[in-house]
């Protein structure tokens, strides 16, 4: 008899990974005590094995109020997700994202604030890699807001996603610019995002192709 497959978290897997026989499955569900504990341990083992086997699956790095978001970004590995809790996070230098990361708030822009100051006030956020997601923040205090692309005008990056952002720049600042600047990108997205005020354009797409 051929292998039977069941639908699970990451796709179709052989039924034998979970159960040896239908009878064994029923007995494990019905029995209490040690049998139930064995069942639970077996499923946990399979879950861990599947997690380890998924290629390219990164780590979720939590950052909570008072934490150092810039340090989390610089320490992360490509493919990781940085999950940011509600609070205010100062950006005293440019938050430069030059690897494939997802930076997402857990509570959305109404509760998660990025405030630029000092040397971070010109370009508060620079997204310069493929496969970057920035999702769910209010950004304020910068002469510009978000610069997505290669600031040196050499590379075309792809799949940069800017979602659920509220950007408020300072038009009176030295060298003011755009709220969200999408520069030389391909297959990228700006979605459900707004710019309160900016010296130049609110959202400006310059070269490449964006959705």
């Amino acid at each position: 008899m051929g292998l039977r497959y069941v639908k699970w978290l990451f796709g179709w897997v052989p039924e034998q990974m979970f159960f040896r026989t239908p009878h064994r499955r029923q007995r494990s569900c019905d029995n209490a005590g040690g049998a139930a504990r064995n069942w639970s341990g077996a499923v946990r083992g399979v879950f861990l094995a599947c997690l380890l086997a998924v290629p390219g699956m990164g780590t979720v790095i939590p950052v909570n109020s008072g934490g150092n978001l810039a340090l989390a970004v610089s320490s992360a590995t490509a493919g990781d997700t940085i999950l940011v809790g509600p609070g205010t996070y100062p950006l005293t230098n440019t938050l430069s994202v030059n690897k494939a990361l997802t930076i997402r708030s857990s509570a959305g822009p109404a509760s998660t604030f990025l405030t630029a100051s000092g040397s971070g006030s010109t370009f508060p956020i620079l997204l310069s890699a493929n496969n970057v997601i920035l999702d769910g923040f209010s950004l304020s205090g910068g002469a510009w807001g978000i610069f997505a692309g290669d600031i040196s005008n050499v590379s075309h990056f792809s799949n940069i996603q800017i979602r659920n952002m509220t950007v408020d720049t300072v038009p009176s600042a030295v060298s003011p610019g755009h709220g969200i600047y999408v520069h030389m990108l391909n297959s990228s997205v700006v979605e459900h995002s707004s710019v309160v005020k900016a010296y130049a354009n609110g959202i400006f797409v310059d070269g490449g192709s964006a959705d």
Side-chain angles (χ1 to χ4, degrees):
M1 186 174 73
L3 288 175
R4 297 176 59 189
Y5 287 78
V6 293
K7 183 73 170 167
W8 204 52
L9 292 177
F10 309 111
W12 292 93
V13 296
E15 187 182 52
Q16 283 84 341
M17 292 181 68
F18 288 94
F19 324 110
R20 292 190 177 179
T21 66
H23 176 71
R24 173 67 174 273
R25 174 177 56 191
Q26 184 65 42
R27 185 177 62 191
S28 297
C29 287
D30 292 342
N31 288 351
R37 285 192 295 272
N38 290 339
W39 166 265
S40 176
V43 171
R44 284 198 302 269
V46 170
F47 176 74
L48 178 59
C50 288
L51 281 177
L52 295 175
V54 176
M57 188 175 191
T59 300
V60 176
I61 302 171
V63 178
N64 295 311
S65 183
N68 191 325
L69 178 58
L71 180 60
V73 169
S74 64
S75 302
T77 300
D80 288 350
T81 294
I82 299 173
L83 187 62
V84 183
T88 299
Y89 299 85
L91 302 180
T92 55
N93 294 290
T94 297
L95 184 67
S96 180
V97 184
N98 56 8
K99 50 197 161 187
L101 296 176
T102 295
I103 305 171
R104 175 173 287 130
S105 73
S106 60
S111 302
T112 318
F113 306 96
L114 308 178
T115 56
S117 62
S119 59
S121 62
T122 302
F123 296 112
I125 298 178
L126 175 61
L127 309 179
S128 56
N130 297 320
N131 305 315
V132 174
I133 300 174
L134 181 67
D135 185 355
F137 298 90
S138 288
L139 171 65
S140 64
W144 293 56
I146 301 166
F147 190 115
D150 185 2
I151 201 168
S152 62
N153 302 316
V154 175
S155 300
H156 286 74
F157 298 118
S158 298
N159 193 31
I160 292 181
Q161 301 179 38
I162 300 169
R163 301 181 184 273
N164 304 304
M165 296 292 300
T166 300
V167 178
D168 190 5
T169 70
V170 181
S172 60
V174 177
S175 302
H178 309 291
I180 299 175
Y181 185 31
V182 177
H183 181 55
M184 296 172 58
L185 300 185
N186 297 318
S187 301
S188 296
V189 175
V190 178
E191 182 181 60
H192 296 153
S193 296
S194 61
V195 175
V196 178
K197 59 181 179 292
Y199 177 81
N201 297 281
I203 299 174
F204 184 43
V205 179
D206 176 24
S209 63
D211 299 326

